[in-house]
Amino acid sequence: MLHKWEGIVLKSIPYGESNKIVTLFTEEAGKVTAMARGAKKPASRLAAMTQPFLLGSFLVYAGGRGMGQLQQGELIDSMRDLRGDLEKTAYASFIVELVDRLTEPMEERTRGVYHLLKAALHAIDEGFDPEVITLFVEWQMLPVAGIYPVVHQCAHCGATEGEFAFSFQQIGLLCHRCYDVDPYITRLSPTQVRLIRTCMTVPIDQLGNISLKKPTVRFLQKVVRTIYDEQTGIRLKSRRFIDQLERDTLLQQLMHPNEQTKPSP
């Protein structure tokens, strides 16, 4: 059966001398894998349409849960700025890899992920802080992984008022009356509690140009990534690349501390 689906290219893998296996995340059918015959040839009409992060309208011949055949595609957004910037590309790669690892082809329950993915890539492409956008994606993808953190009340007693800490044992907040439930809690300030709730619930396309301090981002990253590490065991290759990129940036800053303050010619 021939389908016309709006979708985003998650990845594209060479296959044989001239083909590619393309993984799309579509609005209508969730994740779809399709063979793009001849897409490795520069002159192929599919060559440009199988680039990662590209948003397009695709004609796919598919039946059941097996691999489909990508017939043609029409460009909607190339995400040009995202693809031309190393930092943006690194965080976009993290997002698409996370989506790919947490979903299965043609899963009904993951169709809502498409709007999260599309909003995140658009935000990065438009110049919003890619690290902050990625942080929101990490939190909002937890339910897709089958993890539902309790963030609006105490996970033990249900209290909504008081001081709170995060418990990785309970996968959620514990109020000060229940701290003894978990000896390894992470204490939270009221601001940190609000930010965790914001990360979990606020759609990315409603964020505006949100700005968070680096220590705040690092703290929220540590919490959500500890959840992933303990509950899923997933390790992303793109995460290691981002870590290396950040180390290289820090090294450059240490070697050239006054570079950012030099006047422009």
Side-chain angles (χ1 to χ4, degrees):
M1 183 180 298
L2 192 61
H3 302 272
K4 185 175 182 179
W5 290 324
E6 180 181 305
I8 293 167
V9 179
L10 296 183
K11 63 182 180 182
S12 182
I13 302 172
Y15 184 80
E17 293 185 1
S18 61
N19 308 322
K20 291 182 181 180
I21 296 175
V22 183
T23 303
L24 308 171
F25 205 94
T26 70
E27 181 174 23
E28 298 86 355
K31 189 165 75 174
V32 174
T33 302
M35 179 70 72
R37 298 195 179 281
K40 284 178 64 178
K41 298 177 180 179
S44 168
R45 67 185 189 280
L46 293 178
M49 291 301 301
T50 53
Q51 301 300 312
F53 320 130
L54 180 144
L55 170 65
S57 177
F58 299 92
L59 280 179
V60 181
Y61 185 84
R65 298 177 64 87
M67 185 181 300
Q69 297 285 335
L70 179 59
Q71 302 293 316
Q72 65 183 67
E74 181 180 345
L75 179 67
I76 295 176
D77 192 337
S78 67
M79 305 287 178
R80 180 183 302 173
D81 290 342
L82 182 160
R83 287 150 51 84
D85 181 281
L86 182 59
E87 183 186 27
K88 291 180 180 181
T89 298
Y91 282 101
S93 297
F94 182 101
I95 290 171
V96 298
E97 186 181 1
L98 183 65
V99 169
D100 188 33
R101 293 287 297 278
L102 293 180
T103 58
E104 296 294 333
M106 308 295 282
E107 273 188 314
E108 295 281 339
R109 69 182 182 88
T110 62
R111 290 186 182 180
V113 174
Y114 177 77
H115 298 286
L116 173 64
L117 174 63
K118 182 179 177 180
L121 295 183
H122 268 310
I124 294 174
D125 187 57
E126 291 168 4
F128 293 89
D129 187 331
E131 189 174 29
V132 172
I133 298 301
T134 301
L135 176 68
F136 274 73
V137 173
E138 290 180 84
W139 278 97
Q140 293 181 25
M141 284 295 292
L142 284 171
V144 180
I147 304 166
Y148 301 87
V150 180
V151 299
H152 291 289
Q153 63 184 38
C154 175
H156 185 69
C157 74
T160 57
E161 301 293 335
E163 297 179 7
F164 289 95
F166 197 90
S167 167
F168 295 103
Q169 180 189 93
Q170 300 292 316
I171 317 179
L173 302 181
L174 287 178
C175 70
H176 62 276
R177 292 169 288 268
C178 299
Y179 283 175
D180 59 346
V181 170
D182 180 359
Y184 302 107
I185 56 172
T186 299
R187 298 288 184 96
L188 301 173
S189 69
T191 298
Q192 289 169 334
V193 172
R194 288 195 298 272
L195 283 172
I196 287 175
R197 291 169 175 168
T198 299
C199 286
M200 280 290 299
T201 59
V202 176
I204 287 175
D205 56 8
Q206 294 181 19
L207 286 179
N209 197 4
I210 187 171
S211 177
L212 297 176
K213 294 180 179 178
K214 280 289 184 182
T216 300
V217 173
R218 292 290 181 266
F219 175 80
L220 295 171
Q221 280 178 342
K222 184 177 180 180
V223 174
V224 72
R225 291 179 183 180
T226 299
I227 297 173
Y228 277 107
D229 290 346
E230 294 187 355
Q231 300 298 319
T232 71
I234 288 176
R235 300 290 188 273
L236 303 182
K237 293 179 181 179
S238 51
R239 177 171 162 183
R240 294 197 296 270
F241 179 74
I242 288 172
D243 291 342
Q244 183 61 52
L245 188 65
E246 290 176 350
R247 285 193 293 268
D248 292 344
T249 300
L250 178 59
L251 181 61
Q252 287 295 320
Q253 291 172 347
L254 292 173
M255 292 175 64
H256 308 284
N258 299 319
E259 191 171 278
Q260 300 299 319
T261 60
K262 290 180 180 180
S264 300

